[in-house]
Amino acid sequence: MTTASPLLSVRDLSIVYETAEPVHAVQDVSFDLGRGELLGLAGESGSGKTTLAYGINRLLRPPAVIRSGTTILHGDDEHPDVDVNAMTDAELSDYRWDRVSMVFQGAMNALNPVLSIGTQMADVLSRHRPSMSRRERRDRCAELLELTGVGADRLRSYPHELSGGMRQRVTIAMALSLRPQLMIMDEPTTALDVLVQRDILHEIAELRQRFGFSIVFITHDLPLLLEISDRIAVMLQGRIVELSTAADLYRAPQSEYTQRLLQSFPSLTGAERLIDRGPRVAADASRAAEGGAA
Ligand SMILES: Nc1ncnc2c1ncn2[C@@H]1O[C@H](COP(=O)(O)OP(=O)(O)OP(=O)(O)O)[C@@H](O)[C@H]1O
């Protein structure tokens, strides 16, 4: 994965929660995200992963303040470059969903219980693509539900009629609906059981391949990140202490913290060391162990 023509460039970004005792949640963070790249963000609870993700999507609320640094989302033939921290409110509403979308851990529980899945999905389209006809919107929603494995026949279903995994797929379908260049996923499958999680990750991998968007994927689950990421950034106390390919991070971790983090997952350091045979092999082997799901 090359970052020669990056999609996103973050430089010296610092974010502080201005509470009585200021919290320096993100400190001098710099990285590039390649086009089509999946960057995993790892690190213990409180290391600043979510704050960084919110910073990239300009979702921060007081007392959070961006103290310094820049975040540039680079354009392509259709889109201009965007200086994320300098956007006006009007520009922001085009940026979110259209250029960058986000899937949260609890997103599946944030769906409106009294509106059908189709209505909620169509709402995103009518706000951002007002020229679309009703029929076009419905067709697009049906296509998105097919793509994410929910099935177009669920358009009229209400959230309570779907399992947690299905609801999370709906939120992924919504995040995909405007074909963003970047999807930020913050613990998107943590609340789901392992088999459902694997299915959804498999689906996300296929969608990324098909549409070419980049992903920033946040999770505590380092073994999972080693399987799915092109590169992994490890955060500690607001700083990126290591950023390298998944294979290098596993085989030759540079920072002492990464070494300790790896050691805290017995499945990575145990007798079998599946990951030694490469991330894909480890993924296939653990799938086989779970009965061939995904
Ligand atoms: N609204 C807030 N006000 C004050 N401090 C906050 C606020 N939100 C987060 N923090 C602090 O900022 C730091 C970074 O938190 P953040 O949630 O970004 O970490 P994280 O790595 O995403 O953690 P987790 O994995 O538990 O979600 C922590 O010390 C946290 O306590």
Side-chain angles (χ1 to χ4, degrees), residues 17 44 54 56 81 95 98 103 158 164 186 192 194 196 243 247 271 285:
Y17 290 98
E44 64 198 13
Y54 273 45
I56 294 170
D81 284 6
Y95 176 77
D98 249 306
V103 179
Y158 287 83
D186 192 353
L192 303 168
V194 154
V196 174
L243 174 56

Side-chain angles (χ1 to χ4, degrees), residues 103-111 168 171 186-188 191:
V103 179
F104 307 89
Q105 178 180 346
M108 58 195 174
N109 300 320
L111 291 168
Q168 194 62 323
T171 67
D186 192 353
E187 305 268 8

Side-chain angles (χ1 to χ4, degrees), residues 41-53 187 218-220 235:
L41 262 192
E44 64 198 13
S45 186
S47 56
K49 305 181 296 296
T50 297
T51 304
L52 175 58
E187 305 268 8
I218 300 174
T219 177
H220 291 101
M235 288 190 76

Side-chain angles (χ1 to χ4, degrees), residues 179-200:
R179 303 267 189 270
Q181 295 169 288
L182 169 61
M183 212 184 277
I184 301 173
M185 310 192 106
D186 192 353
E187 305 268 8
T189 57
T190 305
L192 303 168
D193 77 60
V194 154
L195 295 183
V196 174
Q197 181 177 28
R198 292 234 169 253
D199 275 352
I200 292 182

Side-chain angles (χ1 to χ4, degrees), residues 105-125:
Q105 178 180 346
M108 58 195 174
N109 300 320
L111 291 168
N112 189 328
V114 299
L115 295 177
S116 71
I117 299 303
T119 304
Q120 296 185 60
M121 292 178 71
D123 186 48
V124 176
L125 294 173

Side-chain angles (χ1 to χ4, degrees), residues 3-107:
T3 52
S5 164
L7 174 68
L8 184 80
S9 300
V10 176
R11 291 290 176 270
D12 305 318
L13 187 66
S14 292
I15 302 170
V16 179
Y17 290 98
E18 291 192 328
T19 43
E21 195 64 44
V23 179
H24 297 270
V26 171
Q27 302 189 57
D28 295 322
V29 162
S30 296
F31 67 93
D32 282 335
L33 175 71
R35 293 174 193 268
E37 180 177 28
L38 195 158
L39 178 74
L41 262 192
E44 64 198 13
S45 186
S47 56
K49 305 181 296 296
T50 297
T51 304
L52 175 58
Y54 273 45
I56 294 170
N57 207 9
R58 273 279 299 273
L59 279 170
L60 295 166
R61 295 275 169 271
V65 172
I66 296 177
R67 273 279 174 82
S68 59
T70 54
T71 302
I72 306 289
L73 185 79
H74 300 284
D76 53 25
D77 294 345
E78 290 171 44
H79 305 101
D81 284 6
V82 167
D83 179 345
V84 174
N85 299 346
M87 272 186 294
T88 61
D89 286 350
E91 288 165 336
L92 252 184
S93 73
D94 285 342
Y95 176 77
R96 291 202 200 115
W97 294 93
D98 249 306
R99 307 275 307 264
V100 177
S101 63
M102 192 150 179
V103 179
F104 307 89
Q105 178 180 346

Side-chain angles (χ1 to χ4, degrees), residues 5 147 176 225 243 252 257 273:
S5 164
L147 277 172
L176 267 177
L225 279 189
L243 174 56
Y257 177 68
R273 297 176 63 93

